[in-house]
Amino acid sequence: MTAFAERLAAAVRQQKTPVVVGLDPRYENLPTSLQSVEQGQNPAHRASAYSAFCRGVIDVVAPLVPAIKPQAAFFEHLGPAGASALADVIRYARDRGLLVIVDGKRNDIGSTAAAYAQGYLGIASAWGADALTVNPYLGDDSLQPFIDTARANAAGVFVLVKTSNPGGGRFQDLVADGEPIYRHVARHVARLAAEDAAASGFGTAGAVVGATYPEQLAELRGIMPQSWLLIPGYGSQGGTARDVAAAFRSDGLGAIVNNSRGIIFAHRRAEYSERFGESRWQEAVEVATRQMIAELRSDTPAGAL
Amino acid sequence: MTAFAERLAAAVRQQKTPVVVGLDPRYENLPTSLQSVEQGQNPAHRASAYSAFCRGVIDVVAPLVPAIKPQAAFFEHLGPAGASALADVIRYARDRGLLVIVDGKRNDIGSTAAAYAQGYLGIASAWGADALTVNPYLGDDSLQPFIDTARANAAGVFVLVKTSNPGGGRFQDLVADGEPIYRHVARHVARLAAEDAAASGFGTAGAVVGATYPEQLAELRGIMPQSWLLIPGYGSQGGTARDVAAAFRSDGLGAIVNNSRGIIFAHRRAEYSERFGESRWQEAVEVATRQMIAELRSDTPAGAL
């Protein structure tokens, strides 16, 4: 099977956009037709509502974008029933040709990290994801099982480098040996990516870099020239197309930009709620997706795709 | 309900030991009576074997130790079937009076961190854990939802400070403003713990500190005087009772010491395999648990319990 970095490049080129749709289901925000007054507190009901909702989003976005990013936390929030819904959503998305990046921010040490990696990465794994986000705090040896397993299964890894939250700098920005911690992490990711960069120029090791820090995006693009950057923080968190422009190579590859609430809960946004209402929520998803695609085409090198 | 730090102190005093049994099931290491030649590759079978195995361990250790620590990775490795097994094991352990610390090393930002926290922490949550391990890389604002949710639900949080793996220092030991990163994290944990330290002297915010770095254990005990320390790395990873002695207060409280493989797979250890064999694996679990309890009573302040 073709390496993940190459499959991602092909999918971005085919859809002519780097937009990733984040699946962050929250029961209170679902269209009312999927909520139940009697069953609202039942985790099994909530999980099946999450499945139905995410399938509905996938039906809309599969022809438009290269990948989706389910957020493990919102599924795990429901307990085991949520885990089943997550597996269902991953399978449904893959069957429709989408790449699936599970946002789990997992990590542990040694053989425990390997258990996570083997459980999530690759079509033959239990969860069957194409890629997983991982946390670097436990060190380089904790990242290695993810990289090794990803390479063996044509899957990808996105290492948290610089996160989009206001307090992300609390430890990431501490300066050691003249460089902030996030840059130490970035240099390690860059070395890993260089080890197996393929035709597109990208390797297995990607990075998560928040849209909310535009200068650091440019800096990190430079430090990790062979890494795909997964960029959260667009839209609801304040990141704009101009903010993320520096994350791309001139050919429009190299970065994928996630939007969760701004797309999946578009029916709740002021500009769409009146136009579509609750019942036409899927049309709101489509319009919001197309709008973000247009923004990135107009204001970033993604226009060259 | 009484705060987690107080419940942990009471449980450690009642059992007169700080030993925590780590539940890290791996199919290949299970007693052969729980393995199946025909069904060995089936995740549903593996999950039910994990449940049966962990229940068997819990039956043995519930009268002996204050807490168990299921490792989420090994359950998730099986996909959704593993998630159901984990939920079963948590419930079974709590019903037998054990405190349950889920080792998930979770984190994310803002409301996503809150989703993890609300899903795991407290008896009324979907998973029903008493405590959860969390990763600090995303910053202080990413830790806060766990602390807040834990406080509201009489649950606990163990923040990764210094991990037990060989490469743990790769980023944790980088020196910023004259102090390694792990110490910056430790000072933040100490501040959180001081905010709500109760009668026993401990607060909601605990820390994970590896047994494999004895000098740092002493240093971190000093920096976080009001935090429970969860210490992995005992036994299979090389940590000894003497190595962890400095983690305790003089009254024997303040640290809990985890052993996973050395206890649950004791039937595979050279010193027990001949004596008990596969079929008497539960006796091996009991003897290994009692041996570790004796080691800690003899060589650490836990003898004062």
Side-chain angles (χ1 to χ4, degrees):
Chain A
M1 200 173 183
T2 311
F4 172 74
E6 300 300 292
R7 292 192 289 131
L8 182 55
V12 167
R13 282 198 178 108
Q14 188 191 318
Q15 304 284 44
K16 299 189 190 307
T17 185
V19 169
V20 173
V21 176
L23 300 178
D24 293 24
R26 294 166 209 237
Y27 191 73
E28 301 70 24
N29 293 356
L30 296 186
T32 46
S33 60
L34 291 169
Q35 297 187 37
S36 159
V37 176
E38 302 83 33
Q39 293 288 307
Q41 296 307 313
N42 177 350
H45 157 72
R46 287 193 175 214
S48 86
Y50 282 14
S51 266
F53 174 67
C54 292
R55 283 172 173 242
V57 172
I58 290 164
D59 287 339
V60 174
V61 304
L64 302 176
V65 303
I68 56 151
K69 180 176 76 64
Q71 170 52 257
F74 294 107
F75 294 90
E76 278 177 65
H77 181 251
L78 301 180
S84 299
L86 175 59
D88 173 72
V89 167
I90 293 171
R91 202 166 35 236
Y92 191 83
R94 286 192 64 139
D95 286 349
R96 270 139 201 85
L98 287 164
L99 294 171
V100 179
I101 302 163
V102 170
D103 198 356
K105 299 188 173 62
R106 297 298 196 260
N107 212 345
D108 211 292
I109 68 172
S111 60
T112 310
Y116 276 130
Q118 291 158 12
Y120 282 100
L121 293 171
I123 194 165
S125 68
W127 295 94
D130 293 290
L132 181 69
T133 58
V134 303
N135 186 311
Y137 188 73
L138 289 102
D140 48 352
D141 58 351
S142 77
L143 297 175
Q144 201 60 44
F146 290 95
I147 298 294
D148 294 343
T149 303
R151 286 175 179 158
N153 294 281
V157 174
F158 291 95
V159 180
L160 297 187
V161 169
K162 176 75 188 156
T163 59
S164 59
N165 52 317
R170 180 68 182 75
F171 305 121
Q172 295 162 27
D173 289 0
L174 289 173
V175 174
D177 299 334
E179 293 201 314
I181 300 304
Y182 72 81
R183 216 187 291 170
H184 288 267
V185 177
R187 290 195 195 287
H188 184 67
V189 171
R191 282 190 293 273
L192 292 170
E195 289 171 1
D196 68 349
S200 68
F202 300 108
T204 297
V208 177
V209 184
T212 44
Y213 300 99
E215 295 99 50
Q216 289 157 344
L217 261 181
E219 167 203 346
L220 291 167
R221 171 76 290 161
I223 293 175
M224 298 179 283
Q226 294 167 300
S227 291
W228 277 100
L229 305 183
L230 168 59
I231 306 178
Y234 192 92
S236 306
Q237 287 182 54
T240 67
R242 279 178 222 279
D243 288 337
V244 303
F248 295 90
R249 280 196 328 207
S250 58
D251 65 356
L253 293 182
I256 48 177
V257 184
N258 181 76
N259 190 343
S260 302
R261 280 172 284 171
I263 288 179
I264 67 172
F265 298 133
H267 67 282
R268 297 169 57 93
R269 285 167 63 176
E271 66 264 52
Y272 299 133
S273 62
E274 202 162 317
R275 182 166 155 207
F276 296 110
E278 291 267 336
S279 63
R280 292 166 63 199
W281 67 273
Q282 284 181 297
E283 289 173 67
V285 167
E286 178 171 351
V287 169
T289 305
R290 290 190 187 278
Q291 184 192 320
M292 180 171 166
I293 291 170
E295 287 167 6
L296 291 178
R297 292 194 66 81
S298 142
D299 287 347
T300 80
L305 287 168
Chain B
M1 200 174 185
T2 312
F4 172 75
E6 300 301 292
R7 292 192 288 132
L8 182 55
V12 167
R13 282 197 178 111
Q14 186 189 319
Q15 304 285 42
K16 299 190 193 302
T17 183
V19 169
V20 173
V21 175
L23 300 178
D24 293 24
R26 293 164 210 238
Y27 191 73
E28 302 69 25
N29 293 357
L30 297 185
T32 46
S33 60
L34 290 170
Q35 296 187 36
S36 158
V37 176
E38 302 84 31
Q39 292 289 307
Q41 296 308 313
N42 177 349
H45 157 71
R46 288 193 174 213
S48 84
Y50 282 14
S51 264
F53 174 67
C54 292
R55 284 171 172 241
V57 172
I58 290 164
D59 286 339
V60 174
V61 304
L64 302 176
V65 302
I68 56 151
K69 179 177 77 64
Q71 170 51 256
F74 294 107
F75 293 90
E76 276 177 64
H77 181 252
L78 302 180
S84 298
L86 175 58
D88 173 72
V89 167
I90 293 170
R91 202 166 35 234
Y92 192 83
R94 284 192 65 139
D95 286 349
R96 269 136 202 87
L98 286 164
L99 295 172
V100 179
I101 302 163
V102 170
D103 197 356
K105 299 187 172 63
R106 296 298 196 263
N107 212 345
D108 210 293
I109 67 173
S111 60
T112 310
Y116 277 129
Q118 292 158 10
Y120 283 99
L121 293 172
I123 195 166
S125 68
W127 296 95
D130 293 289
L132 180 70
T133 58
V134 302
N135 186 309
Y137 188 73
L138 288 104
D140 49 352
D141 58 352
S142 75
L143 297 175
Q144 200 60 44
F146 291 94
I147 299 295
D148 294 342
T149 304
R151 286 174 179 160
N153 294 279
V157 174
F158 291 94
V159 179
L160 297 186
V161 169
K162 176 76 188 156
T163 59
S164 59
N165 52 316
R170 179 69 181 77
F171 304 121
Q172 295 162 27
D173 289 0
L174 289 173
V175 175
D177 299 333
E179 293 202 313
I181 301 304
Y182 72 80
R183 216 185 293 170
H184 288 267
V185 177
R187 291 197 194 286
H188 185 66
V189 171
R191 281 189 293 273
L192 292 171
E195 290 171 2
D196 68 350
S200 69
F202 301 107
T204 296
V208 177
V209 184
T212 45
Y213 299 99
E215 293 99 49
Q216 289 156 346
L217 261 181
E219 168 201 347
L220 291 167
R221 172 75 291 159
I223 293 175
M224 297 178 284
Q226 293 166 300
S227 291
W228 276 101
L229 304 183
L230 168 60
I231 306 179
Y234 192 92
S236 306
Q237 287 181 55
T240 66
R242 278 179 222 279
D243 288 337
V244 303
F248 295 89
R249 277 196 328 205
S250 59
D251 64 357
L253 293 183
I256 49 176
V257 185
N258 181 75
N259 191 345
S260 302
R261 282 172 283 171
I263 288 179
I264 67 172
F265 298 133
H267 67 281
R268 297 167 58 91
R269 285 167 63 174
E271 66 264 51
Y272 300 133
S273 62
E274 202 163 315
R275 181 166 156 209
F276 296 109
E278 292 267 336
S279 64
R280 293 167 61 200
W281 67 272
Q282 284 181 296
E283 289 174 66
V285 167
E286 178 171 351
V287 170
T289 305
R290 290 190 186 278
Q291 183 192 318
M292 180 170 166
I293 291 171
E295 287 166 8
L296 291 178
R297 291 196 67 80
S298 142
D299 287 348
T300 79
L305 287 168

